[in-house]
Amino acid sequence: MNERTDLYSLTEDELSQFFVSLGEAAYRGKQVFPRLQSGERLCDITNLSKAVREKLADLTVDTLPLVEEKLVSKIDGTIKYLFKLYDGSFVESVLMRYKHGNTICISSQVGCRMGCKFCASTIGGKVRDLYPSELIGQVAVAQRDSGERISNIVMMGIGEPLDNFDNVIKFLKLVNSEHGLNIGYRHISLSTCGVVSGINRLGDECFPITLSISLHASNDKKRSEIMPINNKWNIEALLSACVGYYKKTGRRISFEYTLISGKNDSTEDATELATLLKDAFRGTNAPIHVNLIRVNEVRETGFKEGDTVSVANFQRRLESLGITATVRRRLGADVNAACGQLRRTRNTEAVKN
Ligand code: SAH
C-alpha cells in the first residue's frame, strides 16, 4: 500500500493525530471518524474544505470496497455481495436477515492458506490479508447499500481470521467504537479452523466475542485428512485452548461440524464427537453447542452432502448424549454457491479473458 495513509483503519485518536500532523485542528478527527466508519468517501465529506479534501486525497489511499456484484435471494432476502478491493482483488460477504436482526458474514483474507479439503476459498491459496479498513468496509458498505442496520457480524467468510491477527484485533476495536459502527462484542462471532496460538492470544485480549471452532471430525486421523492445520495443532491441543479461552472470557464456544456423506456423518462419529466434547469440558460448566452444516458441494472437492435422514440421526444422537446441536438453515440457497465460489468464478473468468 506504499506510504499512503489508510484513513479507514485509523481509530478516532489516530485520525485526530493525523490531522494535527497535517497542520489541521485535532477536532477534525472527531468530525470525520464517524463518517468514514459508516462508509462515506472523502469526496462526500463536505464539511471539510475542498483544499483539505484534496490534500487528503494525495496522502491517503481509498480502501473502501466497491460493490462489484450483488445477488438477492428471492427465497429469504439474503444478499450476497462480491466486493472489489482497491487493488482489484475480490472478496465475498453475505447479509442474512434473522428475526433477531441482520447479520453479515465477512471475509478476513483474499483467499486462504489453510488448505481445508472441502473448502472453495483455499483452492488458489492466500493472496493477502485484509486491512482493518477492508473488514470495516464490508460491514459499512453493505449497511449503506442495503439501507438496513447491521447488528451482528460473523467472521466466517473467505480466509482464516486468526491468520490475520493484528488487523482483526484492530477491526474489532474499530467496529465496537462508540462513534464508529458501535457493534457490541457480544454480537460478533469469530470462526477459526484451529489456529491455537491465535486462540490463546485472542483469549488474552478478553473481548467478549463468541468463538466458533471448525471441528468437522471427532478424531485426529479423520481431521488430519480433511484439515491440514490438525497436523500442527491436534484435537487435544485445540480443545485445551478452547477450555483456556472459556476460562479467560466466560464466553460460550460453539463448534461447527460439516457433515460429509460417508466421511464423518455416521452415528458412531456422533457418539465419538459427544464423548470428545464432554471429556474436554468436564468440570468447567461451559455451555457447548454444535452447529451441524450440510457440506456445500464444491466441484473441485468431490465431497457430497448426506440425506436429511442421516443428518437428523446425527443430531438426535448428539442430543441424546447431552450435547445440544442445531442443523444450520441454508439461507440464500438460490444465490449461495458454497462460500468462496463467487470469487473463484470471477477469478477464473479473469484468467480466461
Ligand atoms: N477459516 C475460518 C473461517 C472461514 S470458513 C474457519 O475455518 O472457521 C467458515 C466455515 O465454513 C468453516 O466452518 C468452514 O469449515 C466452513 N466451510 C468451508 N467450506 C465449506 C463447504 N464446502 N461446506 C460447508 N462448510 C464449509
Side-chain angles (χ1 to χ4, degrees):
M1 201 190 293
N2 62 45
E3 296 302 300
R4 286 168 178 255
T5 299
D6 174 11
L7 283 184
Y8 295 90
S9 285
L10 301 182
T11 62
E12 193 171 331
D13 284 348
E14 288 167 344
L15 197 59
S16 300
Q17 283 159 24
F18 182 67
F19 275 107
V20 170
S21 76
L22 300 181
E24 299 291 325
Y27 76 85
R28 293 281 183 208
K30 248 192 171 34
Q31 207 176 23
V32 171
F33 179 77
R35 302 194 57 173
L36 291 174
Q37 292 290 305
S38 70
E40 277 191 82
R41 294 211 130 76
L42 266 183
C43 54
D44 297 321
I45 305 183
T46 45
N47 54 358
L48 287 176
S49 71
K50 192 151 178 270
V52 173
R53 275 182 281 143
E54 279 171 3
K55 183 150 74 167
L56 285 174
D58 283 343
L59 296 171
T60 64
V61 53
D62 180 353
T63 53
L64 208 59
L66 292 166
V67 178
E68 173 77 6
E69 203 175 322
K70 177 183 177 183
L71 302 173
V72 184
S73 165
K74 294 197 179 67
I75 305 170
D76 50 42
T78 297
I79 307 178
K80 183 138 186 171
Y81 286 102
L82 181 70
F83 283 119
K84 186 172 185 173
L85 305 179
Y86 82 101
D87 64 347
S89 301
F90 296 106
V91 289
E92 292 168 40
S93 318
V94 182
L95 180 57
M96 295 159 287
R97 293 146 210 262
Y98 292 106
K99 282 196 209 79
H100 59 267
N102 296 313
T103 299
I104 190 163
C105 173
I106 62 168
S107 296
S108 55
Q109 296 176 317
V110 181
C112 184
R113 62 185 182 124
M114 295 296 134
C116 298
K117 293 284 189 291
F118 43 81
C119 180
S121 305
T122 197
I123 293 171
K126 179 181 114 171
V127 178
R128 70 172 174 88
D129 290 329
L130 294 190
Y131 297 106
S133 54
E134 294 170 316
L135 300 170
I136 287 284
Q138 294 172 68
V139 186
V141 174
Q143 180 163 274
R144 202 161 260 280
D145 178 85
S146 65
E148 304 226 19
R149 157 95 184 142
I150 293 175
S151 48
N152 300 279
I153 301 174
V154 294
M155 306 196 76
M156 268 196 193
I158 297 168
E160 169 50 52
L162 297 182
D163 188 40
N164 183 15
F165 192 86
D166 293 341
N167 290 344
V168 165
I169 294 294
K170 182 89 185 267
F171 158 72
L172 291 172
K173 291 178 181 164
L174 283 170
V175 81
N176 180 249
S177 60
E178 197 189 341
H179 301 135
L181 291 173
N182 197 12
I183 296 180
Y185 288 129
R186 284 167 199 280
H187 297 263
I188 302 176
S189 302
L190 183 149
S191 180
T192 177
C193 66
V195 179
V196 164
S197 56
I199 295 172
N200 293 337
R201 286 175 71 193
L202 188 67
D204 292 340
E205 298 276 348
C206 263
F207 296 119
I209 62 173
T210 303
L211 186 62
S212 245
I213 303 291
S214 299
L215 192 59
H216 305 326
S218 49
N219 64 53
D220 282 324
K221 183 170 178 298
K222 285 195 183 185
R223 193 163 193 267
S224 297
E225 269 170 33
I226 52 174
M227 301 180 74
I229 188 82
N230 201 63
N231 294 310
K232 182 153 188 191
W233 287 291
N234 64 13
I235 293 182
E236 192 188 341
L238 174 57
L239 293 181
S240 89
C242 292
V243 171
Y245 185 86
Y246 173 74
K247 286 186 176 157
K248 287 181 212 165
T249 64
R251 295 290 293 162
R252 139 185 114 85
I253 296 180
S254 65
F255 291 90
E256 309 292 313
Y257 193 99
T258 293
L259 290 161
I260 305 170
S261 180
K263 270 239 167 254
N264 64 359
D265 66 341
S266 69
T267 31
E268 291 74 34
D269 290 313
T271 309
E272 193 177 40
L273 178 61
T275 311
L276 180 72
L277 293 178
K278 283 201 292 194
D279 283 352
F281 285 90
R282 198 174 301 285
T284 64
N285 279 331
I288 301 168
H289 189 89
V290 175
N291 283 311
L292 298 171
I293 311 160
R294 260 169 290 172
V295 72
N296 274 311
E297 295 180 8
V298 177
R299 189 165 40 85
E300 290 88 336
T301 67
F303 292 135
K304 294 266 172 268
E305 68 172 302
D307 53 35
T308 40
V309 176
S310 68
V311 174
N313 284 342
F314 197 97
Q315 180 189 23
R316 214 170 301 127
R317 174 58 67 100
L318 284 181
E319 299 242 320
S320 73
L321 295 169
I323 300 283
T324 57
T326 320
V327 181
R328 276 275 179 86
R329 258 192 320 143
R330 208 170 251 175
L331 287 179
D334 52 339
V335 293
N336 201 11
C339 170
Q341 290 212 26
L342 200 53
R343 166 175 172 265
R344 256 191 79 62
T345 321
R346 182 54 61 105
N347 285 345
T348 322
E349 277 168 11
V351 172
K352 273 193 263 167
N353 291 338

